[in-house]
Amino acid sequence: MESGSVTTPFGRRSMTLGMLASQAAARKIEPGQSIDKWKLYRALCEARPLLGITDRALAILNALLSFYPKGELSEDNGLVVFPSNAQLSLRAHGMAEQTIRRHLATLIEAGLLIRKDSPNGKRYARKEQGGELREAFGFSLAPLLVRAEEIERLAAEVVAERLHLQRLRERLTLCRRDVAKLIEMALEEGAAGDWSAIHLHFRNVVEQLPRSPSAEQIATTLDEMEMLREEIVNQLEMQVKTHNQSGNAQQTERHIQNSNPQSITELEPAFETKQGETADDRSKGRVGPTEQIQKVERKSEPVSRANAAASANAALKSFPLGLVLQACPEITAYGPQGAIGTWRDLMAAAVVVRSMLGVSPSAYEQACEIMGAENAATVMACVLERAGHITSAGGYLRDLTRRAEKGEFAIGPMLMALARINSPVRGKAG
């Protein structure tokens, strides 16, 4: 500072110990000390969270620095700037004078400026006859020069913390993707294990993370996610080893299971009650002419069609009921008593939905033959979930059935996509 004495504010502004401490520190400028004012300003912008100042206050400080005539702050060049509030408003993009005064007070309280008021409170400078500046009244930038090293250190801490947070976010994103892909793969491949419960645990870990988490919260979630990934990988690797050791036995077992001559329609509720048909007729096997024709047609189908259906049925994997209901919650309302607790409940609901969406009994029965009763009901639940985007539900189901028969369709990706759409986290974000 140009003066070694203490300066007090003009008018009704009170003096504080903070102001006194700032003025005492400003007198400790080392001889010859200087720093680039814009480099220091960039450091201030980085260190802003630790200094407790707002971006609007920094805009005012930027305007004050623009009034400093030199590129480097130095005591030899003087450290007081004295623009009027009107001049500051112009360089602060038209900020109101009342707002300027409030942010100037913030900068002074933060110890970044010192108010050096004139006897009448105006900001001006007195010059010698030769034009040299003798004394100025306004705002002293001396605290910036004194605290330059501290400000740069704080800026480095903020940058390091931001990079640390960014790396944690990247690791969590990669780990979360790994877990999601592994669970999806396990479901599609039909790996042994309660993958529905694992998926729910995965969603719970994700949901615990707040919208704007701290580094500690991300690190905690990352630890849980890495442990879950390790458990999943270990479980899958053990199954791969077991499969390699007993591959032939498993192939034989699958062949025996797929050779089961039991009709798929025996495991599924009746498609719909015909007019004049009673429960006693159905229980005794007495059916109308239409059903007899359908049975004759099924019996007369070529053997190759039956083999293709069995092959497609074996290729499609069944999914946990809990995952199906999580991905397709709308079908729950069509279950018995408005709830679904078993696969039989889901298949009964699928028959109701089939009729509601205008899917013919033959199209749904063919889907059951090719995909299996559980998978056909699952596909019907997915069709209901996407009914607003499907023009013809019957045609869509027949197309999926044809693709499944050729081995070109898998339920897993469609089911997992709906599970992500209907997840609680996405609901909160919306």
Side-chain angles (χ1 to χ4, degrees):
M1 295 180 63
E2 287 78 356
S3 174
S5 60
V6 173
T7 177
T8 57
F10 170 78
R12 289 181 292 180
R13 300 189 189 99
S14 59
M15 184 69 178
T16 65
L17 288 175
M19 294 180 184
L20 186 63
S22 296
Q23 294 181 28
R27 289 194 290 270
K28 298 179 181 178
I29 299 176
E30 298 180 1
Q33 183 179 356
S34 65
I35 189 170
D36 184 280
K37 64 179 182 180
W38 297 123
K39 178 182 177 181
L40 181 60
Y41 179 75
R42 287 191 294 271
L44 277 167
C45 293
E46 293 285 1
R48 180 176 65 85
L50 299 181
L51 292 171
I53 54 176
T54 64
D55 53 349
R56 303 292 298 278
L58 281 176
I60 296 299
L61 185 58
N62 179 287
L64 285 174
L65 287 172
S66 70
F67 284 102
Y68 191 76
K70 303 294 182 178
E72 289 193 348
L73 294 178
S74 172
E75 193 173 22
D76 296 337
N77 299 322
L79 291 171
V80 177
V81 290
F82 41 91
S84 65
N85 284 343
Q87 291 174 319
L88 274 177
S89 178
L90 289 175
R91 296 202 186 182
H93 309 288
M95 190 180 297
E97 289 192 16
Q98 184 177 0
T99 306
I100 289 175
R101 285 193 291 269
R102 185 171 68 251
H103 291 306
L104 285 172
T106 299
L107 292 170
I108 293 170
E109 290 175 5
L112 298 176
L113 290 180
I114 292 176
R115 186 187 298 274
K116 187 181 179 183
D117 287 343
S118 66
N120 62 2
K122 301 294 183 180
R123 301 170 200 153
Y124 58 88
R126 288 199 180 97
K127 297 183 179 180
E128 303 285 354
Q129 291 183 353
E132 296 179 357
L133 191 66
R134 183 167 65 87
E135 191 173 14
F137 298 97
F139 297 102
S140 172
L141 304 175
L144 295 179
L145 186 59
V146 173
R147 301 180 61 184
E149 185 177 345
E150 175 196 354
I151 292 170
E152 290 179 339
R153 177 178 54 79
L154 293 176
E157 290 179 6
V158 171
V159 171
E161 179 65 20
R162 184 169 63 244
L163 292 176
H164 176 60
L165 184 64
Q166 181 181 350
R167 293 190 184 98
L168 285 175
R169 287 181 179 275
E170 290 174 351
R171 289 176 58 193
L172 180 59
T173 299
L174 292 174
C175 190
R176 179 177 174 178
R177 184 183 68 189
D178 292 344
V179 172
K181 295 283 186 180
L182 288 171
I183 294 176
E184 184 176 353
M185 180 268 293
L187 290 170
E188 292 181 1
E189 297 292 334
D194 191 355
W195 294 105
S196 177
I198 294 175
H199 181 260
L200 289 176
H201 175 60
F202 165 64
R203 298 308 312 173
N204 289 334
V205 173
V206 174
E207 291 168 18
Q208 290 174 0
L209 198 65
R211 186 180 295 271
S212 299
S214 63
E216 291 77 14
Q217 291 171 324
I218 294 178
T220 301
T221 303
L222 178 60
D223 290 340
E224 295 183 18
M225 197 69 70
E226 287 179 340
M227 289 177 60
L228 180 59
R229 179 177 61 182
E230 185 177 356
E231 292 175 3
I232 292 174
V233 171
N234 290 339
Q235 185 172 345
L236 292 175
E237 287 180 348
M238 288 177 62
Q239 293 189 41
V240 170
K241 291 179 182 178
T242 304
H243 177 78
N244 292 336
Q245 292 173 358
S246 58
N248 293 333
Q250 289 179 357
Q251 290 177 3
T252 304
E253 182 181 355
R254 285 198 299 271
H255 176 72
I256 294 174
Q257 290 175 353
N258 295 338
S259 300
N260 186 356
Q262 184 181 18
S263 173
I264 294 172
T265 55
E266 295 177 5
L267 302 177
E268 181 189 356
F271 289 114
E272 57 186 3
T273 303
K274 304 299 179 182
Q275 185 175 3
E277 181 183 355
T278 65
D280 184 60
D281 292 334
R282 292 195 300 273
S283 64
K284 294 181 180 179
R286 295 195 295 272
V287 294
T290 304
E291 286 78 10
Q292 291 177 1
I293 293 172
Q294 290 176 351
K295 285 187 176 181
V296 171
E297 289 176 349
R298 287 199 296 272
K299 290 180 180 178
S300 61
E301 287 180 346
V303 178
S304 59
R305 174 66 180 274
N307 292 339
S311 176
N313 192 3
L316 287 175
K317 306 297 182 183
S318 296
F319 294 85
L321 179 62
L323 177 61
V324 175
L325 296 179
Q326 180 186 348
C328 310
E330 290 190 15
I331 200 169
T332 305
Y334 299 92
Q337 287 79 46
I340 294 177
T342 64
W343 277 107
R344 184 167 293 277
D345 292 343
L346 179 64
M347 290 186 285
V351 172
V352 177
V353 170
R354 186 276 306 164
S355 177
M356 182 187 70
L357 295 180
V359 178
S360 65
S362 60
Y364 187 55
E365 185 174 357
Q366 185 181 10
C368 289
E369 293 175 355
I370 298 299
M371 303 180 189
E374 293 181 356
N375 286 330
T378 300
V379 171
M380 205 69 246
C382 294
V383 172
L384 174 64
E385 205 69 28
R386 301 187 68 251
H389 305 280
I390 298 174
T391 304
S392 172
Y396 184 68
L397 181 63
R398 287 188 183 276
D399 180 63
L400 294 182
T401 302
R402 284 193 296 269
R403 290 169 56 192
E405 189 175 10
K406 297 177 183 178
E408 298 175 353
F409 170 64
I411 301 176
M414 179 170 61
L415 197 62
M416 295 304 294
L418 289 173
R420 285 191 291 268
I421 292 174
N422 293 321
S423 67
V425 171
R426 186 176 292 274
K428 291 178 182 178

